Amino acid sequence: MASLVQEDGSDDVMVVLTCIDRNEQDDFSPNQDEDAMISTVDVYNWNFPSILKHRTIKVKAQRNRQTYDFYNPDLEILVQWNQPTFLSLLASLFGSPVDVTSESFLSLFEGALYFGMETIISKCMMWLTKAISVNGVPLLQLNDLLSIWEFGSELVNNYLPELCTTYIAKNFIWAMSCSSFVDVPYDLLLSSTKHPNLTVDSEMQLCDALLIWISANKGQYTEDCYINLLKQIRISLLPLWFAFGKKTYESLSMCCNESYSGVITLLKQPFTPRMNALQDNELLNLRIRLTELTQRVDISCCTQMNPAILLLSVLPFSLNLEPQLRIKFEKSLINHESINAFPWTKWSNLTFEAVHEIDISNCPMLPLKVAIDIISYSFPSLRKLKAANHLSFKTLDVMQLVKKCPLLCDIDLTVDVSPVIPTQVSILSSFLPAIIPRSFSIHWHSNHSNITKLILEGRNDIEDFDLRAISNICVSISYISLRGCTSVSDVGISSLISKCLKLNSIVACDTSFGQNSILALCSSNASYDHHPSVKHSGRNIPHGCNLQMLHIGGCKGINLSCFSKLMSQAYMLKNLCLRDTEVVDDVLFNFLGSSLEVLDVSNTKVSSAVLAHVIGRNPGLKCLKTRGCNNLLHKETKNLFFEVCKLEEISVGWGFSYFSLQNLKPSLSSLKEIEVGLGASLGQEGLKWLPGISPSLESVVLYFQVISDDIIINMLESLKHLKSFSLCHCLGEISSLGFKVRMPNLRKIRLERVAPWMNNVDLVNLTHNCANLIELSLLGCPLLNSESQKIISSGWPGLISIHLEECGEVTKNGVVSLFDCFALEDILLRHNGSGIQKGFIHEAVTKLPMLRKISLDICDAKDRDKDFDIPEVDNRHFLSHVKIARCKSHTHRCIFDPQHVRASTVSIHRETLVLVWDSKHLTTTLVKERV
């Protein structure tokens, strides 16, 4: 081994070092023509790219700067090493700096170890330590890290493996996104998942990563290795649909059956803390992973998440508490009001400053108000809160939320939009309990909030009073979604627009948005003109000039003349939805913007001429929806789409043909979603070429198209990224052969009036070929029977939505096996056999903790009285909507009984009884339509 170390007092003798690559053969004989001769005297002038072009490099070095372990220093010394590394090390001895990077670390470190260069070793380790401690974008590439780990594992008493393990644990989200993640050695991956600093957004993220690794390394390790790896997953923190959907994975199923039982136990006894059980090692599987690097926490759809588990997760100890603290902790778990009395200040490390986003959507056992008390203490830097489907939350709580989390700027409080939209259905009668009028006002004494984005979608309990309160404190708001908020008026919305001067994105589909709101957008408010955030050249600028997003689909109170004026001002619009409105050509001809990315004019009266006008001015359009536009004609749309750049989503109908598809071909190469509706005629040739034109498609929806088994097979085999596939009322010769294609990525399938041949054998095959479905919708499959329930529940245990209509005798013997789909959120069972038990709704909400929506038909009721029990408000669990339809032959005028849905003897047309719960009350509505 040569020693490249500095030595003083030696004779000034020149030594020639002949360097060849370490991979050269032993019998290498230098060729003079290929030599490069350099000297350490002019080391700063070395041109590495030029020098490294030569096969042999000869270096004249001064011996007084180095010592060598060779018998005769006057001989020419042959050095067989990586040439760039050797030259870098040699140059460093003569004062040239060494650049340590992800790519060069290992070669420099290995060379420094071999040649005994302690200075370089120290510099490398300093760089590696710094790289591991850096938060944010990793300085090390995963491939390089794996090489470092493998090299360190071969050394005795070396700290490199531990550093690498720490690095992957802290940057696991980055590591799993790298293509070389599947190359991570088993020992390194296992130690990383056991590391206390393992940082992930959610257990689902970790589980997905490990399953991908196992799939790529199948057969290279024993089954015990895979099980040991999967045991690191905290199964109890997985979303219910994900956990039960993965039961088909043998390795995962073997290591988590006990955890499934634990989940069910928690659901049955959610707030009964047993301190001796909490001290058990199994407690670890209930704690959310939180580290000093955690930025995002996602516990959405975690059914068993409750205040006890959330509080437990932020505590840094194993509950070896003093007696007094133990009592306070137990009170906090049992009585939510005692959360505020918990001794937070006793510990200084209960906060996680890096957390800026948390998702607690669809957690039925976690009261939002209580969760916010814990979140406000533990995540003081929180900026984004997503809490969908928490019905108990009230507007007054929003005020408290922004007070407790002052940095919060993005709030999502979405709930399911009510099926009863007054502009879409004919209301026969409606009943809701008397509400005590509000006689109080909110006095807000603190500074205005930092809220810039607020989503209140579907909240029927939001009224004008609430909007006024929101506009008073959310003065910086720029985005608001009121979609489906049917209790707010046009005046209320217009008042919000007038007060919130920075508002540039409005989602108000299916609301009362109308004349007053449009005038507010067109007006130039005096205070707005002098607002410091508004820059203009001394003239009045209407509010609409800054508008970037406007969604008013389904709004019927629009004055077209005023709206045309708004369109002439809204030249900055990027996202426009006008579906199901009375908009006509003149309105859009006034739109002169050129930044539009999304345009939805579905079910409107617009023509090809105005679409050509808009599309021609907006070449950056990414999403175009024209389905249901009857005024679009084939001959006029032939050259309509030439100007479109790169579409990612398209919905078409009348006027769209095979020739349109050909014209759009260059624009559809990046298409991810396509919907082809009534009036479109792609033909079999167009559908045949679609996968080749748009290979990245993730969603395909076809209505009234002529298809065949060959077309279906071609699509399912070619579209590797397909996640959602729908065939509705399509024509042609279709059989089970078309669905005998493996589709592991498919998550949603909808077959309406296209599979009358489907029997239980076909259903079994479908469960094998589409093993990862979470949404299933079948309409018109008369050969299915009660055994189909068991096939569905065993083949797709992770389903969150199931719609079965006119499917033979599936419910003739009642509903039993479907309850094994434990994660169901949405059930529709209509015309599948008169066997559904009277207490079905109560049984369903009891056994299915995530269930929010139920749709039934009186025809399927088993009992002679033909009715279904409706649960009391306090016993509805997570339920928000119930729809019970009546057909003409079985329809009887509804009698509003709070305990039952009963019938009289008067026959009428079809109708639907709709029950909707919100944070205030239950609203019972009878509508003429079937919804």
Side-chain angles (χ1 to χ4, degrees):
M1 178 184 292
S3 178
L4 295 181
V5 294
Q6 218 167 312
E7 181 185 81
D8 297 326
S10 302
D11 295 333
D12 190 6
V13 178
M14 297 299 292
V15 178
V16 178
L17 303 176
T18 301
C19 180
I20 63 173
D21 194 89
R22 70 198 304 178
N23 295 323
E24 292 283 0
Q25 297 180 358
D26 294 337
D27 59 351
F28 167 76
S29 56
N31 185 330
Q32 203 67 27
D33 294 336
E34 298 180 356
D35 293 354
M37 181 65 73
I38 57 176
S39 173
T40 57
V41 175
D42 59 347
V43 66
Y44 290 102
N45 297 322
W46 285 3
N47 187 333
F48 275 74
S50 177
I51 294 171
L52 293 173
K53 290 180 180 178
H54 297 269
R55 189 180 182 190
T56 305
I57 302 172
K58 293 189 175 183
V59 186
K60 289 185 177 181
Q62 292 175 292
R63 193 176 184 278
N64 68 329
R65 299 294 300 272
Q66 306 173 48
T67 63
Y68 299 92
D69 272 338
F70 295 103
Y71 292 109
N72 191 339
D74 295 326
L75 294 177
E76 181 177 324
I77 302 171
L78 178 64
V79 179
Q80 213 168 352
W81 202 260
N82 177 272
Q83 289 177 328
T85 302
F86 180 76
L87 290 182
S88 296
L89 293 173
L90 186 61
S92 70
L93 293 178
F94 293 88
S96 180
V98 175
D99 185 21
V100 182
T101 65
S102 176
E103 294 80 10
S104 66
F105 171 86
L106 184 56
S107 58
L108 290 174
F109 186 76
E110 182 183 8
L113 280 177
Y114 184 82
F115 292 113
M117 304 175 70
E118 293 296 334
T119 301
I120 303 299
I121 293 174
S122 177
K123 185 172 184 177
C124 287
M125 290 310 303
M126 288 177 61
W127 180 89
L128 183 61
T129 303
K130 179 182 177 181
I132 288 177
S133 63
V134 169
N135 298 334
V137 180
L139 299 179
L140 269 170
Q141 298 301 312
L142 187 57
N143 277 329
D144 301 321
L145 188 73
L146 301 184
S147 299
I148 294 171
W149 182 84
E150 290 177 355
F151 176 78
S153 299
E154 297 174 358
L155 303 178
V156 180
N157 297 325
N158 191 268
Y159 38 78
L160 285 180
E162 177 57 31
L163 288 176
C164 293
T165 298
T166 301
Y167 190 84
I168 287 186
K170 292 169 63 175
N171 297 281
F172 195 86
I173 298 174
W174 158 79
M176 62 178 284
S177 68
C178 299
S179 58
S180 54
F181 176 75
V182 295
D183 300 323
V184 176
Y186 167 77
D187 291 336
L188 174 57
L189 185 59
L190 182 61
S191 59
S192 298
T193 56
K194 289 183 175 182
H195 199 282
N197 284 328
L198 176 63
T199 303
V200 291
D201 292 345
S202 65
E203 287 302 303
M204 183 173 69
Q205 192 177 51
L206 175 62
C207 185
D208 263 335
L210 296 184
L211 290 175
I212 289 172
W213 186 92
I214 290 173
S215 178
N217 291 274
K218 203 66 178 177
Q220 298 186 29
Y221 301 94
T222 65
E223 194 66 28
D224 287 341
C225 289
Y226 302 138
I227 292 176
N228 286 337
L229 199 58
L230 293 171
K231 280 184 176 180
Q232 309 312 312
I233 301 169
R234 299 175 182 179
I235 305 295
S236 297
L237 296 179
L238 290 174
L240 209 57
W241 64 267
F242 183 87
F244 281 87
K246 298 298 181 182
K247 288 182 73 173
T248 53
Y249 286 77
E250 183 178 355
S251 300
L252 184 60
S253 181
M254 290 176 65
C255 68
C256 64
N257 284 334
E258 293 181 3
S259 295
Y260 289 126
S261 301
V263 169
I264 296 173
T265 300
L266 273 173
L267 292 172
K268 291 180 178 179
Q269 297 177 330
F271 299 112
T272 307
R274 296 174 299 163
M275 296 306 294
N276 55 349
L278 291 175
Q279 294 173 353
D280 197 293
N281 290 334
E282 294 180 357
L283 179 66
L284 182 65
N285 287 325
L286 294 177
R287 295 173 68 98
I288 305 168
R289 294 184 196 270
L290 291 171
T291 72
E292 61 179 7
L293 298 177
T294 301
Q295 296 183 13
R296 183 173 183 270
V297 178
D298 184 358
I299 51 175
S300 59
C301 300
C302 186
T303 317
Q304 63 277 11
M305 181 56 58
N306 58 36
I309 297 175
L310 186 59
L311 180 59
L312 193 65
S313 299
V314 300
L315 298 178
F317 45 78
S318 58
L319 295 180
N320 293 319
L321 304 177
E322 303 169 7
Q324 290 296 330
L325 292 180
R326 184 186 297 268
I327 293 173
K328 289 184 178 182
F329 182 78
E330 289 177 334
K331 286 183 177 179
S332 298
L333 301 187
I334 300 173
N335 181 8
H336 299 160
E337 300 301 323
S338 300
I339 291 288
N340 289 322
F342 191 76
W344 298 95
T345 56
K346 184 176 178 63
W347 299 276
S348 59
N349 55 345
L350 292 185
T351 61
F352 299 87
E353 297 284 348
V355 175
H356 59 77
E357 179 180 348
I358 185 168
D359 188 346
I360 54 174
S361 302
N362 299 320
C363 294
M365 290 169 50
L366 182 64
L368 187 54
K369 191 173 182 179
V370 181
I372 288 172
D373 288 335
I374 301 174
I375 289 170
S376 62
Y377 283 112
S378 300
F379 309 132
S381 301
L382 191 67
R383 285 170 170 78
K384 183 175 182 179
L385 171 67
K386 189 171 184 180
N389 294 313
H390 283 270
L391 289 180
S392 61
F393 202 56
K394 298 178 177 62
T395 307
L396 187 61
D397 297 329
V398 176
M399 314 304 166
Q400 296 300 319
L401 172 60
V402 297
K403 183 178 180 180
K404 292 184 177 182
C405 303
L407 298 181
L408 199 61
C409 58
D410 187 339
I411 304 176
D412 184 352
L413 299 174
T414 298
V415 296
D416 296 313
V417 174
S418 170
V420 181
I421 303 297
T423 58
Q424 296 179 3
V425 298
S426 304
I427 298 177
L428 299 175
S429 59
S430 184
F431 172 80
L432 67 159
I435 302 174
I436 300 175
R438 301 186 195 227
S439 58
F440 63 91
S441 61
I442 297 176
H443 300 285
W444 193 254
H445 300 293
S446 65
N447 295 328
H448 292 140
S449 73
N450 290 311
I451 301 299
T452 58
K453 185 175 183 179
L454 181 61
I455 301 177
L456 301 172
E457 182 175 313
R459 290 201 167 269
N460 283 336
D461 47 347
I462 297 290
E463 301 174 0
D464 289 357
F465 173 88
D466 303 297
L467 290 187
R468 287 196 297 271
I470 290 170
S471 63
N472 287 335
I473 64 168
C474 300
V475 295
S476 299
I477 193 168
S478 61
Y479 179 109
I480 190 165
S481 176
L482 300 172
R483 175 175 173 260
C485 295
T486 56
S487 298
V488 296
S489 71
D490 184 28
V491 172
I493 298 174
S494 66
S495 177
L496 176 76
I497 293 172
S498 299
K499 288 185 178 180
C500 299
L501 306 182
K502 297 182 180 180
L503 192 62
N504 58 33
S505 299
I506 302 172
V507 179
C509 296
D510 302 317
T511 66
S512 298
F513 181 100
Q515 177 76 354
N516 291 294
S517 300
I518 295 172
L519 290 175
L521 288 172
C522 291
S523 66
S524 178
N525 191 298
S527 60
Y528 179 84
D529 294 335
H530 295 90
H531 197 275
S533 67
V534 180
K535 298 180 180 179
H536 53 83
S537 56
R539 62 184 179 87
N540 292 339
I541 297 182
H543 201 152
C545 287
N546 282 340
L547 203 58
Q548 296 182 13
M549 175 186 288
L550 181 63
H551 284 208
I552 53 174
C555 297
K556 303 299 184 182
I558 298 174
N559 181 285
L560 296 183
S561 177
C562 291
F563 193 62
S564 294
K565 181 181 178 181
L566 175 61
M567 285 292 96
S568 68
Q569 298 172 352
Y571 52 84
M572 294 182 64
L573 267 178
K574 294 182 178 180
N575 196 317
L576 179 62
C577 173
L578 302 173
R579 61 148 178 93
D580 299 298
T581 62
E582 300 300 321
V583 66
V584 293
D585 286 4
D586 290 344
V587 172
L588 288 181
F589 271 126
N590 282 326
F591 176 64
L592 301 178
S594 58
S595 304
L596 206 59
E597 296 178 359
V598 176
L599 176 62
D600 185 354
V601 290
S602 305
N603 299 313
T604 63
K605 300 176 182 179
V606 299
S607 69
S608 304
V610 74
L611 280 184
H613 163 76
V614 175
I615 293 172
R617 293 185 57 88
N618 294 271
L621 203 63
K622 296 179 181 178
C623 173
L624 178 63
K625 296 184 178 182
T626 64
R627 182 184 166 207
C629 295
N630 299 342
N631 289 346
L632 300 182
L633 303 177
H634 287 290
K635 61 180 181 180
E636 295 178 353
T637 58
K638 183 176 181 181
N639 299 315
L640 176 60
F641 302 103
F642 273 130
E643 300 296 328
V644 181
C645 286
K646 290 291 182 182
L647 285 171
E648 295 179 1
E649 182 179 355
I650 190 171
S651 175
V652 294
W654 296 100
F656 197 86
S657 66
Y658 169 74
F659 300 104
S660 306
L661 185 66
Q662 290 296 314
N663 290 341
L664 265 178
K665 189 174 181 180
S667 302
L668 299 180
S669 58
S670 301
L671 196 67
K672 293 183 178 180
E673 298 183 27
I674 186 171
E675 182 180 44
V676 183
L678 180 64
S681 56
L682 291 186
Q684 297 206 27
E685 195 68 19
L687 293 174
K688 175 183 177 182
W689 290 107
L690 183 60
I693 295 173
S694 307
S696 301
L697 277 172
E698 297 179 2
S699 175
V700 175
V701 182
L702 303 177
Y703 291 91
F704 300 101
Q705 298 301 300
V706 179
I707 58 176
S708 65
D709 285 340
D710 290 340
I711 288 175
I712 296 175
I713 292 172
N714 180 49
M715 279 191 179
L716 299 181
E717 287 182 341
S718 303
L719 299 175
K720 303 300 182 182
H721 305 285
L722 193 63
K723 297 178 181 178
S724 178
F725 187 58
S726 300
L727 298 177
C728 305
H729 305 275
C730 291
L731 308 175
E733 297 181 2
I734 310 170
S735 70
S736 60
L737 296 176
F739 295 90
K740 291 186 177 180
V741 178
R742 291 277 179 179
M743 297 169 281
N745 294 324
L746 199 66
R747 312 292 281 168
K748 305 176 184 179
I749 191 167
R750 179 157 56 115
L751 304 176
E752 297 184 359
R753 305 290 187 195
V754 295
W757 41 262
M758 182 176 288
N759 56 32
N760 285 342
V761 174
D762 300 320
L763 194 59
V764 169
N765 291 332
L766 198 62
T767 63
H768 293 159
N769 295 325
C770 310
N772 295 312
L773 280 190
I774 58 173
E775 294 188 18
L776 172 68
S777 180
L778 300 176
L779 169 60
C781 301
L783 301 183
L784 299 182
N785 55 35
S786 56
E787 288 297 313
S788 305
Q789 287 191 45
K790 188 172 183 179
I791 296 172
I792 291 171
S793 61
S794 60
W796 297 303
L799 282 179
I800 63 172
S801 174
I802 182 167
H803 287 194
L804 301 177
E805 187 168 1
E806 297 183 24
C807 289
E809 298 179 342
V810 171
T811 59
K812 183 179 180 180
N813 297 323
V815 178
V816 179
S817 298
L818 289 183
F819 290 140
D820 293 333
C821 297
F822 203 57
L824 277 172
E825 301 174 10
D826 178 13
I827 293 179
L828 184 149
L829 299 173
R830 286 176 171 170
H831 292 181
N832 303 304
S834 302
I836 299 181
Q837 48 272 38
K838 181 178 181 180
F840 168 76
I841 298 176
H842 183 270
E843 186 177 5
V845 297
T846 303
K847 294 183 177 180
L848 306 175
M850 299 295 290
L851 190 61
R852 301 196 313 274
K853 294 182 285 187
I854 296 178
S855 301
L856 302 172
D857 195 299
I858 285 294
C859 297
D860 296 329
K862 177 182 180 180
D863 294 335
R864 183 178 303 175
D865 291 336
K866 290 292 181 182
D867 65 351
F868 295 109
D869 289 340
I870 304 300
E872 297 282 354
V873 173
D874 294 337
N875 294 326
R876 64 179 175 83
H877 296 263
F878 209 35
L879 195 62
S880 64
H881 296 168
V882 172
K883 298 183 293 183
I884 302 176
R886 296 166 172 78
C887 295
K888 184 175 181 180
S889 58
H890 294 277
T891 302
H892 307 283
R893 177 65 64 186
C894 174
I895 298 175
F896 291 118
D897 185 327
Q899 299 299 321
H900 305 87
V901 179
R902 292 191 175 276
S904 68
T905 58
V906 182
S907 297
I908 60 171
H909 295 289
R910 65 173 58 178
E911 59 188 16
T912 306
L913 181 69
V914 182
L915 300 98
V916 178
W917 287 267
D918 57 32
S919 65
K920 300 175 184 177
H921 46 62
L922 164 66
T923 301
T924 306
T925 307
L926 190 65
V927 300
K928 187 176 181 180
E929 293 80 6
R930 185 178 183 85
V931 295

